[in-house]
Amino acid sequence: MNEQKLEENAERISAKIKGKRVYMFGMVIAQIAVFPMLVFSKKLFSAELYYGAILLCLISSVVFLHKDKQSALQVTALVFTCFADFFLILLGSHKLLAMCFFLTTQICYAVRTVLMAKNVRERVVNIAVRLLGSFLITLIAVLVLQEKTDALIVVSLIYYVNLLVSITFAFLHFRENKLLAIGLLLFAFCDVFIGLPFVIDIFSLTSEHFIYKLVHGSPIRLDCMFYQPSQVLLCLSAGGVKIWRENV
């Protein structure tokens, strides 16, 4: 009887894993199908479709959830990402609040990279570089921008520092989790294009400047081109990887 129960339990677990793999395949196909609409099409693009693609990543991360810290942190990161995108994509307002949510997202990824550290020294360096970098970039911003410095700029700069540090440490562990490293890198590429309009406003760049032309003259949505794939990869980088590696 015990052997029969064990076999039945093993079959249920195997079926569950196979079901999640089928879901994973369908989710990826759906995201690939949506990608051209978000990046290349003016007629088919909508804020709701864009947000829906990111929300699907959150839902999928919950489906892939394992009983480990990496999976839990990934779900939390995507929760705050969806909060941020609700204001930026759907409402197009409350930029400071959205950036605070994105900063919280980056803290989740920061913790993920800290947990990946192989020794205490690496963890200390990871945290110290973030704290020192955040302090220095804030100080430089105040000295350079002076009265133009505001909360949005400070939060954004601290966000970028943490993202860059996370990318660095994720690539140090590239063999362990390729999807996390590549996903964070694409996230950074997206943020470059999202941040360019702020650069235009801060430095009062004219329509003749190449940055202005890049932002307002591109026939494709450069931020979408990097952002959606980044969230898909990050969604798969924790629980998704474990599901794919499990024996059935």
Side-chain angles (χ1 to χ4, degrees):
M1 288 296 291
N2 289 333
E3 290 183 2
Q4 184 178 354
K5 287 182 179 180
L6 288 173
E7 288 179 3
E8 290 176 355
N9 187 49
E11 288 177 0
R12 282 196 296 269
I13 293 174
S14 177
K16 188 176 180 180
I17 293 172
K18 288 179 180 177
K20 289 185 177 182
R21 287 180 177 176
V22 171
Y23 173 87
M24 186 188 303
F25 180 77
M27 185 273 288
V28 172
I29 293 299
Q31 294 283 7
I32 291 173
V34 168
F35 181 79
M37 304 178 198
L38 297 177
V39 178
F40 303 108
S41 175
K42 292 183 179 180
K43 292 182 179 180
L44 298 177
F45 176 87
S46 70
E48 291 76 15
L49 181 64
Y50 193 7
Y51 187 73
I54 307 306
L55 189 60
L56 178 58
C57 292
L58 169 59
I59 295 170
S60 299
S61 69
V62 175
V63 172
F64 305 146
L65 183 63
H66 271 62
K67 294 180 180 179
D68 64 88
K69 293 179 181 179
Q70 290 284 349
S71 289
L73 284 166
Q74 185 55 56
V75 172
T76 307
L78 282 166
V79 166
F80 284 107
T81 297
C82 287
F83 281 150
D85 285 337
F86 176 79
F87 292 104
L88 287 182
I89 296 176
L90 293 183
L91 300 185
S93 61
H94 299 85
K95 292 180 180 179
L96 177 58
L97 181 58
M99 281 309 304
C100 288
F101 282 129
F102 270 132
L103 178 57
T104 308
T105 295
Q106 286 308 318
I107 291 173
C108 293
Y109 290 122
V111 176
R112 285 194 66 183
T113 63
V114 169
L115 292 175
M116 292 170 67
K118 295 181 178 179
N119 51 59
V120 176
R121 181 175 177 274
E122 184 182 335
R123 291 184 180 182
V124 171
V125 171
N126 189 324
I127 296 170
V129 169
R130 294 176 190 279
L131 295 176
L132 181 61
S134 298
F135 172 75
L136 290 176
I137 199 67
T138 301
L139 180 62
I140 292 171
V142 172
L143 293 175
V144 173
L145 300 177
Q146 298 180 1
E147 69 276 0
K148 289 185 177 181
T149 307
D150 58 18
L152 179 60
I153 291 174
V154 172
V155 172
S156 299
L157 290 174
I158 294 174
Y159 162 88
Y160 286 124
V161 166
N162 278 276
L163 175 56
L164 292 175
V165 175
S166 292
I167 291 170
T168 302
F169 281 92
F171 271 94
L172 288 176
H173 298 275
F174 185 75
R175 289 185 178 180
E176 299 170 34
N177 199 326
K178 299 178 178 64
L179 296 184
L180 177 63
I182 297 171
L184 288 173
L185 183 62
L186 294 178
F187 207 152
F189 286 157
C190 164
D191 286 334
V192 167
F193 292 105
I194 289 178
L196 289 180
F198 295 105
V199 173
I200 293 172
D201 292 338
I202 292 171
F203 295 100
S204 302
L205 302 181
T206 66
S207 58
E208 298 301 317
H209 199 281
F210 81 95
I211 293 180
Y212 188 98
K213 292 179 180 178
L214 180 63
V215 171
H216 298 288
S218 176
I220 63 176
R221 295 178 183 83
L222 296 170
D223 57 332
C224 295
M225 183 170 67
F226 295 108
Y227 187 54
Q228 185 217 7
S230 77
Q231 299 310 300
V232 173
L233 293 179
L234 291 170
C235 161
L236 297 171
S237 68
V241 171
K242 292 192 174 184
I243 288 171
W244 199 256
R245 289 176 178 173
E246 285 191 70
N247 294 323
V248 293

